[in-house]
Amino acid sequence: MKQKVHAAAGVTAFLIILTFWTSTVLSEVLGTPETIALVKSRILLGMFALIPAMAIAGGSGMAIGRRRKDAPARAKMKRMPFIAANGLLVLLPAAFFLEARASAGNFDGAFIVVQGIELLAGALNLTMMGMNIRDGRRMAARRKSRA
């Protein structure tokens, strides 16, 4: 049961971040300033879903992987602190900063720089989370083949 909760929370978090990232790119490329401001406000609202999903994925992953010593489990455990730190120290503050600027109609150089940093950090987290999903699927397949 822990594995199913972990997988569901991890995939949910991945899809939420992917939605944030894609919405940001599309609004920046195709949208108006009002659209960008709307996307930024919705991203902050989305944190109420993302943060619990990340906490559940992280907590259940720690519980499941605590005793595992295989390479995929170790790799997942090494990536998680970077994913968490990137989210808490870069992505979350950037979301607040960008929403405040966008809602004020202030799309200055600082907005552009922080937006670029946010997109890079988001892509990094998506990559690392995707690698964790891949490794988790491999671990689950191995577990099923042994059963």
Side-chain angles (χ1 to χ4, degrees):
M1 181 64 159
K2 281 183 195 174
Q3 285 88 357
K4 289 184 189 232
V5 169
H6 176 69
V11 169
T12 298
F14 178 87
L15 292 174
I16 291 170
I17 293 171
L18 181 61
T19 300
F20 290 174
W21 198 91
T22 304
S23 299
T24 294
V25 170
L26 290 174
S27 70
E28 291 285 339
V29 173
L30 303 173
T32 63
E34 293 79 19
T35 303
I36 295 168
L38 179 65
V39 166
K40 293 300 167 195
S41 71
R42 295 303 187 258
I43 287 173
L44 278 186
L45 286 176
M47 293 295 173
F48 287 104
L50 176 60
I51 292 170
M54 292 292 289
I56 292 167
S60 60
M62 293 296 268
I64 294 165
R66 185 176 310 137
R67 294 185 184 104
R68 293 191 67 132
K69 302 294 183 213
D70 54 313
R74 284 195 321 269
K76 287 179 66 152
M77 294 294 246
K78 283 183 182 177
R79 285 190 287 266
M80 278 312 298
F82 293 106
I83 292 168
N86 192 20
L88 291 173
L89 301 176
V90 179
L91 292 169
L92 188 59
F96 279 100
F97 176 85
L98 293 168
E99 191 282 330
R101 290 287 174 114
S103 67
N106 187 357
F107 300 98
D108 61 357
F111 180 92
I112 293 166
V113 167
V114 173
Q115 183 64 84
I117 292 168
E118 182 190 50
L119 287 170
L120 288 173
L124 179 61
N125 264 15
L126 285 169
T127 300
M128 289 188 291
M129 290 172 73
M131 292 166 73
N132 277 3
I133 291 168
R134 177 203 63 204
D135 289 345
R137 290 176 56 95
R138 288 178 180 164
M139 292 163 61
R142 255 191 254 141
R143 200 171 39 249
K144 284 180 184 175
S145 70
R146 279 189 250 145

